[in-house]
Amino acid sequence: MGLKFGSFDALCETAALVVCPLVGTDQGVVPTCYSRNVDVGGTLIFQPATCFIHIVAIIMTAIMIYHIRSKYTAVGRKEIVTFFWMYALIQLIGAFLDSGIIPTANAAYEWFAAIYTGLVAATYCCLLINAFVGFQWAEDGTPKSLWGLRIACLLVFAAGFFFAIATFKSFAGMSFTKPTALWIIYIIWPLACVPVYILSQLILVLRTLEDRWPIGDIIFGAAFWAIAMVILFAFSTTICDAIKHYIDGLFFSELCVLLSVMMVYKYWDSITKEDLEFSVGSKAAVWEVKDPLLAGGQDFPDEDSNYHGAGGYGGGARGTAASLVGGVSGQQYYNQQSGQRRGGYPPAGGY
């Protein structure tokens, strides 16, 4: 069956998508070939290899988030870390849905699938907005930038969640037999966001950076993402049959998506540099010479100091500040030595 606009039939016959058990018919659409199940303690685990990739993706994303958060003054740090948090949450929910820990027959499955759909749409929205952070249309890290990002992602999440749950439950004019709105938010929306991100970042690098190496990160990220989509929707059945149902295209697709996300991090890291002047504190260290011997012979009265002589600084009736080392300053030591001589130096009467 060929691909038709607004229909998941052809896609779900090739790839085991999260929404496939809930669209097409009242029993969903079953893939032509899918990976073997594993019995763990009496519980069947579906897509075990894909679940392993989900776990690896969560671990790798946690590492990337840690490194992003350590670059305190990098441009767009708070905006891009939102993207990685959302991706990690997708992987966590995907692990429960793909593995069958939440069974497709359970009433909770359709709600989690709707949340998953909304998160996928919102994550692509977050990536799209991050594409324009580098142009500084709104200063990064400010409430305007952050709340603009959060509100936009929340609206897209709400739209994706509503389209999904309305399609699954057949209300608001939508139906699982004609999931056109869900098809648009699940298939068309990512295909629109990714090219815009790629094009904008190429423009950013070519117009504002002298270094051209980040272009390689963009190309590799785009290639991994494109390979993921081609494997999932074109060669999943072929791979499954060739490897005798041990793994299917979903495994390689999730792996390539993870690699593309890692290239997003690599690209962001390569174009941002931390300003070390402001990375530790907002006040620069000021070094001041306090020893009278190093102050160029000038005395600076310090009214509050506990290290005055009885008469303060200077000569005559005023005392001289004592050094913190040994209790005697250099000037006091010199005066003591010269006081032992009758005429001082040079002698009044000459030699």
Side-chain angles (χ1 to χ4, degrees):
M1 182 183 296
L3 179 64
K4 294 171 58 178
F5 180 85
S7 174
F8 282 95
D9 292 345
L11 298 177
C12 289
E13 288 178 357
T14 303
L17 303 178
V18 168
V19 300
C20 289
L22 302 170
V23 296
T25 66
D26 56 353
Q27 299 296 322
V29 180
V30 180
T32 304
C33 181
Y34 49 86
S35 64
R36 299 171 185 260
N37 306 327
V38 176
D39 188 352
V40 179
T43 301
L44 283 178
I45 302 298
F46 296 85
Q47 299 283 352
T50 304
C51 292
F52 174 76
I53 294 298
H54 287 312
I55 296 172
V56 172
I58 293 172
I59 296 173
M60 294 303 301
T61 306
I63 295 173
M64 290 185 285
I65 289 174
Y66 172 79
H67 285 289
I68 291 171
R69 290 173 63 87
S70 66
K71 297 183 70 172
Y72 297 103
T73 60
V75 175
R77 178 178 70 96
K78 294 182 179 179
E79 287 81 359
I80 196 66
V81 81
T82 304
F83 167 77
F84 287 99
W85 278 116
M86 296 174 71
Y87 174 73
L89 188 56
I90 287 174
Q91 295 304 306
L92 179 62
I93 297 177
F96 285 96
L97 297 177
D98 288 334
S99 65
I101 294 177
I102 302 177
T104 57
N106 193 300
Y109 184 91
E110 58 189 9
W111 291 98
F112 277 95
I115 294 173
Y116 178 89
T117 302
L119 277 174
V120 170
T123 303
Y124 278 103
C125 175
C126 185
L127 181 67
L128 180 63
I129 295 175
N130 270 279
F132 301 101
V133 170
F135 293 96
Q136 291 291 291
W137 290 351
E139 186 177 355
D140 63 286
T142 60
K144 179 180 179 181
S145 176
L146 293 175
W147 281 106
L149 172 67
R150 293 164 184 168
I151 292 173
C153 292
L154 181 61
L155 292 176
V156 175
F157 170 80
F161 176 83
F162 175 77
F163 291 154
I165 200 66
T167 300
F168 302 154
K169 291 185 172 294
S170 299
F171 68 87
M174 303 180 193
S175 172
F176 58 82
T177 58
K178 294 182 180 180
T180 304
L182 178 61
W183 198 86
I184 292 174
I185 200 72
Y186 201 93
I187 303 297
I188 300 299
W189 174 245
L191 293 176
C193 292
V194 172
V196 173
Y197 177 82
I198 294 171
L199 181 61
S200 64
Q201 298 315 290
L202 288 174
I203 294 174
L204 179 67
V205 172
L206 294 175
R207 293 187 59 182
T208 63
L209 300 180
E210 296 181 358
D211 188 7
R212 296 293 182 259
W213 284 106
I215 295 178
D217 301 329
I218 299 173
I219 293 175
F220 276 109
F224 282 131
W225 187 83
I227 292 171
M229 298 301 105
V230 171
I231 289 176
L232 183 63
F233 297 123
F235 297 104
S236 182
T237 302
T238 304
I239 294 172
C240 183
D241 290 333
I243 310 180
K244 299 180 180 180
H245 294 248
Y246 284 102
I247 56 176
D248 57 9
L250 187 61
F251 167 82
F252 292 104
S253 176
E254 290 291 339
L255 177 60
C256 289
V257 169
L258 171 60
L259 293 174
S260 67
V261 170
M262 293 173 65
M263 295 311 299
V264 171
Y265 163 76
K266 180 65 173 63
Y267 164 72
W268 177 85
D269 185 63
S270 66
I271 66 172
T272 56
K273 293 183 179 180
E274 187 173 11
D275 190 347
L276 296 179
E277 181 181 357
F278 302 99
S279 62
V280 176
S282 59
K283 294 183 179 179
V286 178
W287 299 93
E288 184 177 355
V289 177
K290 295 295 186 182
D291 196 307
L293 288 177
L294 302 178
Q298 298 181 2
D299 294 332
F300 299 92
D302 188 353
E303 299 292 333
D304 300 326
S305 176
N306 294 326
Y307 299 99
H308 286 284
Y313 285 103
R318 305 185 68 187
T320 306
S323 171
L324 297 181
V325 181
V328 181
S329 70
Q331 186 175 353
Q332 289 173 330
Y333 181 79
Y334 178 80
N335 290 339
Q336 291 173 2
Q337 294 296 322
S338 61
Q340 296 175 0
R341 301 176 182 178
R342 295 180 180 179
Y345 183 84
Y351 289 97

